[in-house]
Amino acid sequence: MAGVVYITRRETFAAAHRLFRPELSDEENLKLFGKCSHPNWHGHNYTLEVIVTGEVDTDTGFVMDLKDLKEIVRKNVISKVDHKNLNLDTDFMKGKIPTSENIVIAIWNELEDKITKGKLFSIKLYETENNYFEYKGE
Ligand code: NI
């Protein structure tokens, strides 16, 4: 047993969204969600961190090949969110308010069973430099 290590793949993406509940007026949405409820959309530059943990494989020296992790994250997440509208374009956000809380949970659900070695430990999403959101599957 070589030890348990946590490995992280970082990706960035730009996406548009609007936080709103359709049954509320624009004014009520503004009160509830602030400027993220602006009716004509706006964007964020997000940073995503996907953290996988596991025993180091004594044959490879890897927990999981980071090249594989990169491809899994790009295929299942980045291709569906980058330069997209999270309300309209992203299948795994359909019917959800695209807050960062809901996005990290949805990304976890997209990735959890696709990790080929080790296991998914955490999804972190930075919406701004000072705000980040983390989900660990519970
Ligand atoms: Ni926003």
Side-chain angles (χ1 to χ4, degrees):
M1 188 166 95
V4 171
V5 174
Y6 297 76
I7 65 172
T8 302
R9 175 66 195 176
R10 178 182 289 145
E11 293 282 345
T12 58
F13 63 94
H17 77 167
R18 181 192 177 199
L19 304 184
F20 75 109
R21 295 171 56 141
E23 69 273 23
L24 301 181
S25 68
D26 287 353
E27 204 174 76
E28 289 167 320
N29 276 307
L30 183 66
K31 210 167 150 199
L32 185 57
F33 295 112
K35 60 186 182 180
C36 276
S37 77
H38 179 61
N40 291 335
W41 318 107
H42 65 278
H44 294 274
N45 292 315
Y46 293 95
T47 297
L48 172 68
E49 291 182 357
V50 176
I51 304 168
V52 170
T53 186
E55 289 281 338
V56 176
D57 185 313
T58 48
D59 293 332
T60 61
F62 294 153
V63 172
M64 173 186 182
D65 190 333
L66 265 169
K67 211 165 11 54
D68 295 339
L69 182 56
K70 174 178 92 175
E71 278 160 20
I72 289 165
V73 174
R74 288 196 172 171
K75 176 169 178 250
N76 295 287
V77 178
I78 301 302
S79 69
K80 298 177 179 180
V81 295
D82 189 34
H83 289 72
K84 299 281 165 64
N85 180 312
L86 299 173
N87 296 77
L88 303 178
D89 300 325
T90 304
D91 56 2
F92 61 75
M93 292 306 298
K94 281 272 146 64
K96 300 181 175 114
I97 301 171
T99 59
S100 289
E101 287 89 334
N102 282 336
I103 299 168
V104 283
I105 292 172
I107 290 175
W108 174 283
N109 291 332
E110 284 301 296
L111 292 178
E112 188 183 14
D113 63 358
K114 300 189 179 74
I115 301 303
T116 50
K117 288 205 72 180
K119 65 178 191 337
L120 189 56
F121 175 72
S122 165
I123 301 291
K124 284 187 190 174
L125 186 69
Y126 295 75
E127 191 180 61
T128 68
E129 226 173 280
N130 297 320
N131 295 342
Y132 81 88
F133 303 77
E134 181 171 17
Y135 184 61
K136 294 180 172 175
E138 292 169 15

